[in-house]
Amino acid sequence: MGQTAKIKIQKRNPERFRSNPGKKSLVEIRQKVLQGERLSREDGITLYNCSDLVGIGHLANLVRERLHGDKTYFNQNFHMNATNVCEANCLFCSFARIQPGDEQAFTFSLEQSKKFIEARYHPEVTEIHIVNGLHQGLAFDYYTSLLEMIRENFPNLHIKAFTAVEIQYFSEKYNMSIEEVLTRLMKAGLMSMPGGGAEILGNRVRKKICADKVSGEDWLKIHDIAHKLGLKTNATMLYGHVENYEERVDHLLALREQQDKSKGFQVFIPLAFHPEGNRMKNLPGPSAFDSLRTYAISRLLLDNFPHIKAYWAMLGVHLAQLALSFGANDVDGTVVSEKIYRMAGNKGPEMLTKEQLIQLIEETGRKAIERDTVYNTIGEE
Ligand code: V47
């Protein structure tokens, strides 16, 4: 007989998650979901304290199929980080280098950015996703020139760029209002904004993990302004570190409230904390159970978000496939050159081809639909 393999399960801290205000069965929540009624904060917390993962997933899948049937979206995109030099001090980040001189610190010149894009561009790619560190030493022109260069040389690319964290930084550093920053970036070519930097919006968690960057309130305000200026944006939640269930639910409800007001969010992307190479490496990161439950609860609470994305480069291909039965209806894209998760320990593939994405989706019995960044269908449905 061979040896029995030992499964290593890291210890989680159950105390963080113990504040159940009384267990209510799924029956009542199911009723609300069937009638299309909005779920409450208490419902969200009840769902998080319920261990019936399949039951919760079933409800989320009902909503997913009510909205999208079997349609599951993907796009052809690539990521670029023009610099990883960053003034912020986020404990979960494995990507940033604090000083320009640090080993591994990089800042692309305009010419280097152009070469980087040329190496990844082909006529079917529709999106470039750009997120950068908060670099002390760059002029605002650096960013507008980058956008203009992309627009001029690669006019077919949709430029999705700069998180609310960067927008806030530009506003303070270059002494402009948020409106002015966004207007000038849009004039240079910015077409939508990614959802990063939201982490957990509540103050207690932000003070612990990212004290020196945009507040939760300002993150929402920046997206509000972006929506008013006509930009579509995305929203994320970094889960599985020091937050508790109430803080996750409050995060989701804050996004829902914002969406009621400004209606410009397209997709919600739960981001599972990856512990390698950062200052929270003592934490285990969320389990697959917790991830699937978070996908399902997000779908159920965010009744005004059209899409929920199972970002395969963060979840891994296999869990992303499962998430498609737990509320998600999008897998992101080819994601060439992703760095944030790779540097935080993600060992999966570095990119997927269009054919692989279609296979990933179709294997789950869903219909793969290619989209552009703002969810126009590409090709036949
Ligand atoms: O804001 C950083 C997260 C985000 C880690 O809008 C980490 O379409 C886990 O927002 N473990 C950036 N997460 C990525 C992001 C994103 C990705 C793909 C698509 C879109 C979109 C947005 O990544 C950061 C932070 O929340 N992050 N480090 C880590 N160690």
Side-chain angles (χ1 to χ4, degrees), residues 79 92-94 129 160 194-197 199 234 236 238 269 271-274 278 309 311 332 340-341 344:
H79 285 214
F92 54 82
C93 185
S94 317
H129 168 121
K160 176 178 80 176
E199 324 313 357
N234 299 340
T236 57
L238 178 67
I269 313 148
L271 296 171
F273 169 61
H274 282 234
N278 57 55
K309 187 190 282 187
Y311 179 40
D332 203 90
I340 294 174
Y341 287 94

Side-chain angles (χ1 to χ4, degrees), residues 25-43:
S25 79
L26 271 186
V27 175
E28 210 177 297
I29 293 177
R30 180 170 185 273
Q31 215 45 41
K32 281 187 168 183
V33 172
L34 290 179
Q35 286 164 5
E37 221 180 287
R38 177 161 274 197
L39 299 188
S40 65
R41 179 175 192 269
E42 196 199 351
D43 293 331

Side-chain angles (χ1 to χ4, degrees), residues 89-95 199 209-210 213 238 241 273-274 276 278-280 344:
N89 204 11
C90 305
L91 297 192
F92 54 82
C93 185
S94 317
F95 165 74
E199 324 313 357
I209 66 168
C210 56
K213 77 177 183 194
L238 178 67
H241 43 90
F273 169 61
H274 282 234
E276 246 178 62
N278 57 55
R279 280 171 291 157
M280 300 207 294

